[in-house]
Amino acid sequence: MLRVNAFTVSADGFGAGPDQDLEHPLGHGGEELHQWFVPTQTFQRNVLHRDGGTTGVDDDFAVRSFENLGAWIMGRNMFGPVRGPWPDAEWKGWWGANPPYHVPVFVLTHHSRPSLEMEGGTVFHFVTEGLEAALKQARAAAKGKDVRIGGGAATIRQYLKAGLIDEMHLAMSPVLLGRGEPLFEGIDLKALGYRMKEHVTTEKAMHLVIGR
Ligand SMILES: NC(=O)c1ccc[n+]([C@@H]2O[C@H](COP(=O)([O-])OP(=O)(O)OC[C@H]3O[C@@H](n4cnc5c(N)ncnc54)[C@H](OP(=O)(O)O)[C@@H]3O)[C@@H](O)[C@H]2O)c1
């Protein structure tokens, strides 16, 4: 299955704020999006390597987001703030030496770069042959487990338009960003055959599971 999980959109449909840079990985204002996710036990443990954190519905969705994954796909803007040809191999992602993936991660880009092996089983592969090639490589690497598209919006939109995503968990956060990376621009989910399969609202997010 090709899945999106825990992708957070603002109430006005943006997956990140504008003008991403080193100090603003989610664009300006974008850090507000993840108020449902960051406090969870799953985020604290898997991403920050810390004990503690909240349990409950938000954490249940966070747990689900990491289950049965054999590979990830992401756009190069999710991987980092470097644009254009890679000046060197210095940038290794936002996540430190041991990123929270632990499986192969296929990064879509127009600029080739050697694969990057990190601690804990994460290997970043840079794919320049397009979305279908990335999916083919990810499926082979996943060995029967699911492939998760991490983001960002531009990457998810392409896979949606191509009809390749089976299920998408979105967390809609009660914040307005006004500008940024729009998830739904040019996307007619109904015409693509999607329907709402599940929804539950917590204090910090409306969780929507969209599938066929
Ligand atoms: N809200 C959330 O839950 C969430 C989750 C993940 C990420 N994010 C945020 O989303 C933002 C990034 O999203 P985004 O929409 O700007 O970009 P993105 O989807 O991460 O990356 C887009 C870039 O990837 C490359 N790319 C995409 N499709 C390609 C294809 N078919 N062939 C070759 N290269 C391709 C292109 O880079 P080049 O042409 O430059 O190589 C393109 O400019 C970041 O701020 C990130 O932190 C948010």
Side-chain angles (χ1 to χ4, degrees):
M1 177 147 102
L2 182 62
R3 290 159 42 190
V4 172
N5 288 88
F7 190 81
T8 309
V9 284
S10 63
D12 49 352
F14 296 100
D19 307 321
Q20 183 206 47
D21 58 28
L22 202 51
E23 284 73 43
H24 305 90
L26 283 151
H28 285 252
E31 66 281 358
E32 274 196 86
L33 290 172
H34 281 136
Q35 290 172 25
W36 73 272
F37 192 29
V38 173
T40 63
Q41 191 177 69
T42 300
F43 187 93
Q44 293 291 316
R45 188 181 51 223
N46 294 14
V47 183
L48 302 180
H49 311 289
R50 287 188 195 147
D51 292 333
T54 61
T55 56
V57 173
D58 289 332
D59 189 57
D60 293 344
F61 276 97
V63 168
R64 271 167 71 168
S65 77
F66 286 103
E67 281 172 353
N68 194 39
L69 296 178
W72 287 62
I73 294 171
M74 67 175 65
R76 72 93 63 100
N77 298 358
M78 174 169 170
F79 178 69
V82 182
R83 298 290 186 271
W86 305 98
D88 48 44
E90 281 301 296
W91 182 262
K92 295 179 178 162
W94 306 99
W95 305 278
N98 186 358
Y101 303 108
H102 312 296
V103 290
V105 178
F106 296 86
V107 181
L108 277 167
T109 175
H110 291 98
H111 302 280
S112 61
R113 183 179 162 171
S115 297
L116 187 58
E117 192 167 344
M118 308 295 288
E119 287 170 24
T122 301
V123 184
F124 293 109
H125 299 286
F126 299 88
V127 181
T128 55
E129 299 88 19
L131 69 157
E132 299 206 352
L135 180 55
K136 198 171 164 199
Q137 290 176 40
R139 283 214 162 109
K143 298 192 177 82
K145 289 190 170 180
D146 291 345
V147 176
R148 176 170 163 190
I149 302 178
T155 296
I156 296 174
R157 280 203 312 271
Q158 291 179 66
Y159 281 100
L160 281 173
K161 276 189 188 161
L164 292 168
I165 293 177
D166 298 302
E167 193 175 277
M168 180 163 73
H169 161 233
L170 300 179
M172 185 165 270
S173 186
V175 301
L176 296 174
L177 288 181
R179 292 187 304 132
E181 305 305 331
L183 180 64
F184 300 114
E185 192 172 88
I187 302 288
D188 183 339
L189 287 175
K190 290 204 76 152
L192 288 165
Y194 292 100
R195 64 186 174 86
M196 197 62 69
K197 288 172 71 177
E198 199 181 327
H199 63 94
V200 51
T201 301
T202 67
E203 194 190 325
K204 292 180 177 159
M206 189 195 301
H207 295 278
L208 307 167
V209 180
I210 295 166
R212 295 179 197 279

